[in-house]
Amino acid sequence: MERKSRLVFSVKRQEPELIIPRRPTPREVKQLSDIADQEGLRSLTPTILFFRNNASPSLKGRDPAKIIRKALSKALVFYYPLAGRLQEGPNKKLMVDCNGEGVLFIEADANFKLEQLGDEIKPPFSYWEEVMYEVPGSGGIIGCPLLFIQVTRLTCGGFILALLFNHTMLDGVSFAKFLKTLVEFARGANSPSLMPVWEQNILVARDPPQITCTHHEYIYEKVNESKGAQLDTEPMQHKSFYFGPKEISALWNDVPLRLRNFTTFELLAAYVWRCRTAAFKLDPDQVVRFSCVVNMRGKHYNILPPGYYGVGIACPAACTKVDDLCRNPLGYAVELVKSAKDKMNEEYIKSLADFLVIMGRPMFRIEGNFLISNVSRLGSEEIDFGWGKPVYGGPAYASPLTTYFGKFRKKDGEDGILVLMCMPPSPMERFEKELKKITEGSTEDLYKMKMKPTKILSKF
C-alpha cells in the first residue's frame, strides 16, 4: 500500500523590517500605570488568524502583506507609543520611550495551502515558529519592539497573520481595538473610528497607598529583586478542547434548576477548574485558587474612557480546599467562580494598584492557581481585511499560567467554545479522561431544559 507523504511545512521569509509611523509623532516618555507594569504581565502574548483566498475581482493582484504593512504605518500614528521601547526607571518602574523606532514586521511565503492544514484549524499549531519567526535579540521586554507581525502568504491565495504584543502595553481589549484600527486603515479609512486614549494615570496608586481588599491571586511576600517566582520548568503539553451545545447542555443538566442563576462561562470555568485540579492529584487539604481576567471597562465600574488602550484588567480570585472543590457538586465550584468575578469594583481596582506598589510588584500565584482569560468577546473571529472573516482567529496557545476560552466554529457550522490548555503530559492525560465524562454521562435533549443551543452559547 502506498504511504501518504507527510506535508513538510516550509516558509521563506524576507528580511525583518521595522515599520515606523507614517507621520512624525510626539517624542516623549510615558509612564505605565502601576497595574500595567507588574511583573506578571512582562511577557509577549500570541494571536493568529487564518484567511482563505478570495476570488473577488476587487482583490485581484492585491497583496495582503503590502496592505497590512501600509495600514500598520498609518495606525502607528495614532498608537505611537507602540512604536517606542520600554525602559526601566527607579524601582524598576516601566515607562515607554516614544522614539518611533517601529514595530517588527516580516513578509513571508509558505509552501502549502490552507486546506492542507486539516479539516478544522485550531490550536495548538506545530508550525507556529514558522509563521512567527523569533528575530534574535528581539524577544525581551526592555529595549525591544513592542509589537511583532508576520504575514505569511499561502500557495492557495490565502494568508496567515501572526502577532505578538507586549502585555504591559496592551491587554486583550486594547489589542482588539488596535487590530480593528488596523483593519479600518487596510480598508481605506483615514482615521480610527475610535480614537485611542493613553491616560494611564487613572490606574496609579493613591497617595498614600492603602490595601483595602484581599488579593489572593498574588504572592503575598514582597518580591526579592534577584529572585522572582518562576514558571514550572517541566516539559509542557499544549492542547485545545471543544465544548459545543451537547457538552454544555450536559453540564447544565448537572446543576439543579433552582441554582441556575449563572452564565455559561461561569459554568464551564467551574467545570474545567475542577477537572484540572483533579488531574494534578493535589493534597486534599491544599488550598487552590480560581482567577479570571475581568475587564475594568465594565458597566458597573466604568472608570476608563472608551478609547483607553493600556492594561485595564484585574484577576480577582476565590479560594477553596482541593477536597471541597472536587467532592462537592458542580454548583459549589460555580458559586466560587461567581464570587471571584463579583469582587471586582472601583475600590478593588484602587486597592490593586496600591497593593502592587506596596508589595513590590509581586508575581501571580502559579502553584494551585487556575487563571482563565475569556477572549470570546474580543471579536478576533470577525476581523476582515477584505478577504473575508478568518477561518480561525484567536490565541495561538495557552501558557502554564493562563488558560484561554475563545469562540470556535466547526466545519459543519456548529458554534462552540474552545478551551486552550497548557499542562505537563501526565496531568493533561488525566484531564482529558475527566472531560470524557461529559459525553459519557448525562446528554439529555436540550429542549428538555427548555433552552436552545444558541441561547446556551449566547449566555457565555
Side-chain angles (χ1 to χ4, degrees):
M1 182 180 293
E2 183 181 355
R3 180 178 295 178
K4 291 185 178 180
S5 61
R6 184 178 179 183
L7 175 65
V8 177
F9 295 110
S10 174
V11 173
K12 183 179 180 180
R13 291 176 289 270
Q14 296 185 18
E15 286 297 314
E17 58 183 313
L18 289 171
I19 305 299
I20 64 173
R22 190 177 187 183
R23 300 196 305 267
T25 54
R27 179 65 194 265
E28 57 189 351
V29 176
K30 290 178 173 287
Q31 283 200 349
L32 272 62
S33 75
D34 290 324
I35 290 177
D37 78 345
Q38 59 182 291
E39 292 287 342
L41 296 181
R42 299 188 183 199
S43 61
L44 300 174
T45 301
T47 298
I48 191 167
L49 303 98
F50 298 78
F51 295 92
R52 290 190 178 92
N53 178 35
N54 190 322
S56 171
S58 63
L59 292 174
K60 186 176 181 180
R62 301 194 73 191
D63 183 348
K66 289 180 172 56
I67 290 172
I68 293 173
R69 181 198 287 107
K70 185 178 180 180
L72 182 58
S73 68
K74 293 180 180 180
L76 288 174
V77 172
F78 299 89
Y79 286 87
Y80 65 90
L82 293 180
R85 297 292 183 269
L86 285 178
Q87 57 187 30
E88 283 186 332
N91 299 317
K92 296 183 68 177
K93 179 65 184 176
L94 284 184
M95 53 193 75
V96 58
D97 179 6
C98 302
N99 55 22
E101 287 189 17
V103 303
L104 203 57
F105 183 88
I106 299 176
E107 184 177 340
D109 291 280
N111 71 333
F112 53 88
K113 301 177 182 179
L114 187 65
E115 51 265 32
Q116 289 177 280
L117 298 180
D119 291 339
E120 292 183 335
I121 296 174
K122 61 182 179 180
F125 306 109
S126 60
Y127 43 85
W128 167 255
E129 293 180 356
E130 292 290 333
V131 298
M132 173 48 76
Y133 175 64
E134 183 178 339
V135 177
S138 66
I141 300 300
I142 306 300
C144 293
L146 303 174
L147 178 65
F148 304 78
I149 296 179
Q150 180 173 324
V151 180
T152 304
R153 292 177 291 254
L154 307 178
T155 57
C156 59
F159 65 98
I160 299 172
L161 176 62
L163 309 99
L164 283 171
F165 64 88
N166 187 305
H167 205 346
T168 65
M169 291 293 293
L170 301 168
D171 59 18
V173 176
S174 299
F175 177 69
K177 291 176 182 177
F178 173 78
L179 203 53
K180 181 181 178 182
T181 298
L182 191 63
V183 168
E184 289 173 345
F185 280 118
R187 299 185 71 110
N190 294 316
S191 62
S193 58
L194 179 64
M195 294 299 292
V197 176
W198 183 261
E199 293 190 19
Q200 297 215 15
N201 58 295
I202 296 174
L203 298 177
V204 299
R206 294 171 285 197
D207 186 16
Q210 49 184 321
I211 302 172
T212 55
C213 301
T214 303
H215 302 280
H216 289 297
E217 61 273 25
Y218 293 95
I219 298 171
Y220 255 75
E221 298 78 27
K222 283 198 174 183
V223 175
N224 185 317
E225 291 286 337
S226 62
K227 184 181 178 182
Q230 301 293 321
L231 291 175
D232 198 330
T233 56
E234 185 177 357
M236 292 290 167
Q237 191 173 39
H238 294 267
K239 287 196 176 183
S240 61
F241 303 91
Y242 174 78
F243 290 81
K246 182 180 71 172
E247 292 81 10
I248 292 176
S249 67
L251 293 181
W252 277 93
N253 286 338
D254 229 11
V255 181
L257 185 62
R258 68 181 186 280
L259 299 178
R260 292 180 188 169
N261 61 335
F262 46 81
T263 66
T264 298
F265 166 77
E266 292 162 349
L267 175 66
L268 184 56
Y271 179 75
V272 174
W273 177 31
R274 197 169 67 164
C275 289
R276 181 182 181 275
T277 302
F280 273 96
K281 292 189 172 181
L282 303 174
D283 186 301
D285 290 326
Q286 179 176 337
V287 174
V288 290
R289 292 164 173 79
F290 169 86
S291 303
C292 59
V293 176
V294 182
N295 183 7
M296 293 178 184
R297 305 161 183 87
K299 60 184 178 180
H300 300 300
Y301 33 82
N302 192 13
I303 65 174
L304 300 176
Y308 184 86
Y309 68 97
V311 172
I313 56 173
C315 306
C319 307
T320 186
K321 287 186 177 182
V322 170
D323 191 58
D324 292 334
L325 177 65
C326 296
R327 290 188 179 274
N328 275 303
L330 182 57
Y332 174 82
V334 174
E335 290 302 321
L336 286 171
V337 170
K338 284 175 60 68
S339 72
K341 291 175 59 183
D342 291 345
K343 288 182 180 180
M344 187 74 157
N345 54 41
E346 287 192 28
E347 183 57 35
Y348 186 91
I349 295 168
K350 293 174 182 177
S351 175
L352 173 59
D354 296 348
F355 172 84
L356 291 169
V357 168
I358 290 173
M359 303 302 291
R361 299 184 191 87
M363 290 292 293
F364 288 110
R365 285 192 179 273
I366 297 171
E367 184 180 0
N369 188 21
F370 179 47
L371 173 61
I372 288 181
S373 179
N374 179 14
V375 298
S376 65
R377 295 183 179 180
L378 296 184
S380 297
E381 73 284 350
E382 299 294 325
I383 293 298
D384 185 354
F385 288 96
W387 277 261
K389 296 178 182 180
V391 176
Y392 171 84
Y397 51 83
S399 74
L401 177 63
T402 308
T403 291
Y404 291 104
F405 282 13
K407 284 184 180 179
F408 186 76
R409 173 163 290 180
K410 298 185 72 174
K411 190 177 181 180
D412 61 8
E414 180 182 279
D415 290 322
I417 299 300
L418 201 64
V419 178
L420 281 64
M421 304 287 294
C422 177
M423 288 189 285
S426 294
M428 182 70 84
E429 183 179 353
R430 292 190 289 267
F431 178 76
E432 289 187 81
K433 290 179 180 179
E434 288 291 327
L435 293 188
K436 287 182 180 178
K437 296 177 182 178
I438 301 178
T439 52
E440 291 172 356
S442 173
T443 53
E444 294 181 30
D445 190 323
L446 294 169
Y447 297 95
K448 291 182 181 179
M449 303 189 329
K450 299 181 180 180
M451 184 177 295
K452 296 183 179 181
T454 53
K455 186 174 181 181
I456 288 177
L457 293 176
S458 67
K459 292 183 69 179
F460 201 81

